[in-house]
Amino acid sequence: MNLEKTVKMGDALSNITRIKIIHLLNKNPMNIYEMAKTLNLSRPVIYTHLKKLEEADLVESDLILDEARAKRIYKSKEFKFYIDNDKIDEFFK
């Protein structure tokens, strides 16, 4: 993992709400409405957090047709995030 990707992941994981979203999506893929209802937050707030998580490659989404309506379903992606002094030094070698 390069420095830029590490910073993006660290930034995305630095928010409690985003950690909660990943936790929810680890259990079950969900749409924005379901996440908003479960976390008692507005859909625009959830969308903003999901965008940050997608940019960091921590979640992905699929567009599905449900009763003649398109829904975007989000799911978490497998990842490992580890940083220490040695890892930081590796970025600058």
Side-chain angles (χ1 to χ4, degrees):
M1 183 180 327
N2 66 26
L3 179 58
E4 184 178 325
K5 183 164 174 70
T6 300
V7 170
K8 276 187 179 183
M9 286 182 83
D11 187 36
L13 294 169
S14 70
N15 182 281
I16 292 170
T17 300
R18 290 192 285 269
I19 298 288
K20 288 178 182 179
I21 289 170
I22 291 171
H23 174 67
L24 286 176
L25 297 178
N26 281 341
K27 293 184 194 179
N28 189 37
M30 301 174 108
N31 64 40
I32 288 179
Y33 175 79
E34 293 166 323
M35 284 182 266
K37 187 175 174 185
T38 302
L39 295 172
N40 199 28
L41 295 168
S42 70
R43 286 177 289 185
V45 167
I46 295 293
Y47 178 76
T48 300
H49 287 297
L50 286 169
K51 185 175 178 186
K52 190 88 152 179
L53 291 168
E54 281 185 308
E55 288 171 357
D57 204 30
L58 298 172
V59 300
E60 61 187 357
S61 65
D62 292 313
L63 197 59
I64 63 164
L65 208 55
D66 183 31
E67 298 177 16
R69 292 181 64 192
K71 280 187 179 180
R72 187 158 298 278
I73 303 297
Y74 292 86
K75 57 185 172 184
S76 63
K77 294 177 78 173
E78 289 286 324
F79 72 92
K80 290 192 185 291
F81 184 79
Y82 175 79
I83 189 116
D84 64 6
N85 292 346
D86 293 333
K87 184 68 177 166
I88 291 170
D89 290 342
E90 282 179 34
F91 293 135
F92 299 98
K93 287 185 180 176

